[in-house]
Amino acid sequence: MMDLTSGSFPLFPSRCCFGIPVRLHYLFIVFLALQVVGSILYGGLWPLYWFLLLGPILLVTVLIHELGHSLAARQVGGRVEGILLWPLGGLAFIGHAKGPKADMWVAFAGPLTHIPMTAFWVGILFAATFIAYGTTAIQLAWPHPLTYRNLGVAVCVGAILLNISLFAFNLLVPAYPLDGGRILVDSLLTCGVAERTTALITCCVAAPIAIGIVILGCVKFQVITILVGLWILWSTWQLFDCYRKNMLAQHPMFAFAANQHAAAVIAANQPAVAPSQAVSPYAYGGTAGYQPHVVQGYPAAQHFPPGAGRV
């Protein structure tokens, strides 16, 4: 299991975000610098524009998205270990002892934050358009040429499109570990589909999508897009590895169902069928008689070391 928190640093005191430690990965700064340097070729104010959009605006947007997951987890009685902001977005390290219905709400809570954020930027766009052009007739198009006068309009348009894209990508793409993939898993489990069948369906859906994303990134020469596709493939492989080794209880998306099964066996006065290996610390769940530790990552399950990110 990779420790994604290595190479990161506390962004600000945890008390600033509902007592949740927030860390920023150094690679985020590296990718931001590369993007800004690359935009110099376009000249003018484009380097400043991309710095603002992919720097502070993207950071705040992703942070609010992950806070949506985190606060929803707390609402269902779970705990939050921290949030990591990295080049591929954000990870909220959370855990809860509820079932797939509650987990579905936790998964929905992140993308839903983009609705008020989009509304906020639309309001700002009205003001920026009036200041730049003396009218409130807004357009979702980048002004050309880009000047100091219409820079605010361009930033608002970029922020709106950013929020719409993140909302659609996370919610409508059913590829684990994206929020849409988690919702797919939770929906199947809620409908009574067996864990192994659910895992196989999830892998069969996520793998082609991930390959398509990698191909799209290669065609458009977008490194981040390629990395997102590879990350989805890696997460899908981890799930399939648990499936083929008959160790789904080791996986965070299926630990709760396995725990319920073990608790039912205990209730029937039969020996509990425990996993072949100890439940890893990134699994979630916990019913009477069988309670693993709960630390889970959104959108990818990763272990958050004790105390990491705490200041």
Side-chain angles (χ1 to χ4, degrees), residues 174 176 181 184-185 188 197-207 236 239 254:
Y176 181 83
L184 173 64
V185 173
L188 292 173
T197 303
T198 298
L200 186 59
I201 292 174
T202 303
C203 291
C204 291
V205 171
T236 302
L239 174 57
F254 297 91

Side-chain angles (χ1 to χ4, degrees), residues 4 86 90-93 176-178 182 231 235 252 296-302:
L4 295 180
W86 66 319
L91 295 173
F93 298 88
Y176 181 83
L178 300 177
R182 305 186 74 95
W231 171 57
S235 300
Q296 166 188 351
Y298 266 79
Q302 303 289 349

Side-chain angles (χ1 to χ4, degrees), residues 110-309:
L112 290 179
T113 61
H114 294 291
I115 297 177
M117 283 193 283
T118 300
F120 168 80
W121 283 110
V122 169
I124 300 299
L125 178 59
F126 274 107
T129 302
F130 181 79
I131 294 174
Y133 306 117
T135 178
T136 56
I138 63 174
Q139 294 182 344
L140 286 182
W142 283 283
H144 186 79
L146 186 63
T147 64
Y148 284 107
R149 179 183 177 186
N150 57 30
L151 178 62
V153 174
V155 169
C156 290
V157 170
I160 292 171
L161 297 178
L162 173 67
N163 275 278
I164 294 175
S165 300
L166 290 176
F167 174 85
F169 184 71
N170 279 279
L171 196 59
L172 302 181
V173 178
Y176 181 83
L178 300 177
D179 297 326
R182 305 186 74 95
I183 293 171
L184 173 64
V185 173
D186 291 327
S187 299
L188 292 173
L189 292 176
T190 300
C191 293
V193 179
E195 290 86 359
R196 287 185 59 81
T197 303
T198 298
L200 186 59
I201 292 174
T202 303
C203 291
C204 291
V205 171
I209 293 176
I211 294 173
I213 292 174
V214 172
I215 294 174
L216 177 64
C218 293
V219 171
K220 292 184 172 294
F221 300 101
Q222 295 177 344
V223 176
I224 291 295
T225 302
I226 296 174
L227 292 178
V228 169
L230 293 176
W231 171 57
I232 295 175
L233 275 177
W234 170 247
S235 300
T236 302
W237 165 251
Q238 287 182 311
L239 174 57
F240 181 74
D241 192 45
C242 290
Y243 169 84
R244 69 187 183 94
K245 293 179 179 178
N246 200 26
M247 293 169 53
L248 284 178
Q250 306 295 315
H251 196 276
M253 287 302 301
F254 297 91
F256 181 84
N259 296 346
Q260 283 186 317
H261 171 70
V265 172
I266 293 175
N269 295 319
Q270 298 179 9
V273 181
S276 57
Q277 298 181 9
V279 176
S280 62
Y282 66 89
Y284 75 91
T287 52
Y290 194 73
Q291 299 185 5
H293 297 292
V294 286
V295 176
Q296 166 188 351
Y298 266 79
Q302 303 289 349
H303 176 50
F304 199 86

